[in-house]
Each structure stands twice: as C-alpha cells, then as structure tokens.
Amino acid sequence: MALSCPPPPLDVDYRLRIFTPGGELPFAGHPTLGSAGAWLDDCGTPRPTDRIVQEYAAGLVTVRNGEGVLSFTVPPRVHDGALDGGHLNRATDANGPETTPHRSEDILTGGRTAD
C-alpha cells in the first residue's frame, strides 16, 4: 500500500509513504512511478511541469515527465556495506513469506553493483 500525503516543503509536490505487511519501506520504484502517474491523472500540477518531486523516508526523488514517459534516478542507498542477519530478515520479511529468495545485496541496492 502506498499513501500520498500533502507536501511539507514548497519544493516537494507530495510526500509518499509505502507500507508492506512487514512495515514501512523507505523507498520503492514501482510506487514511485505509479503514484506519479496517478497524481498527474488526478489533476496534480507539478512545479515545474517537466518534473515531480516526491518526499520519501529515504529522501527526495525527482520523477521526470517527458512526453508522457515517467522516469527517475534511484535515491542513495539507505544501507551500505555487508548485511547482517537482522537487515536481511527485515528486508525479506517486508515482502511476505511467498517471495522468491534474492541475493542479499540486490534487496537494498535494487540490483545495482557496488561502487
């Protein structure tokens, strides 16, 4: 479930909170684009018109709106370095018991390779 909330600062179009059965996520890609499209369809007016700024627990995310195509840059990592068992369990538990196992580094990096 993703909730769109009124914006706090002037430079943010709206605040987004994402919840799973295991708790709140600081960021997720699919809700980023889905909420931006729904917000635009429901008369949202970004400032300026070619980008939408969302506020997450992980920070600000800018969604570019170019000719009906939405895109964004992944925000900085919330966690960096080796995962301990607690981090891995919280990340996998948030998705529910039916999830396919992932490599631990994919969960927190979105599949990106480390720098």
Side-chain angles (χ1 to χ4, degrees), residues 1-8 12-19 24-36 38-39 53-61 63:
M1 170 174 62
L3 300 174
S4 175
C5 308
V12 174
D13 290 301
Y14 61 90
R15 202 174 350 170
L16 192 67
R17 299 183 68 189
I18 304 164
F19 294 91
E24 185 170 6
L25 299 177
F27 170 80
H30 287 90
T32 297
L33 295 177
S35 66
W39 185 76
V53 179
Q54 303 169 338
E55 181 184 53
Y56 282 90
L60 300 181
V61 174
V63 178

Side-chain angles (χ1 to χ4, degrees), residues 13-81:
D13 290 301
Y14 61 90
R15 202 174 350 170
L16 192 67
R17 299 183 68 189
I18 304 164
F19 294 91
T20 69
E24 185 170 6
L25 299 177
F27 170 80
H30 287 90
T32 297
L33 295 177
S35 66
W39 185 76
L40 287 169
D41 289 346
D42 195 35
C43 303
T45 305
R47 312 166 300 253
T49 59
D50 65 338
R51 63 187 171 97
I52 301 160
V53 179
Q54 303 169 338
E55 181 184 53
Y56 282 90
L60 300 181
V61 174
T62 299
V63 178
R64 291 172 299 282
N65 182 14
E67 299 180 21
V69 175
L70 300 174
S71 62
F72 67 94
T73 300
V74 177
R77 294 179 187 157
V78 175
H79 177 82
D80 199 6

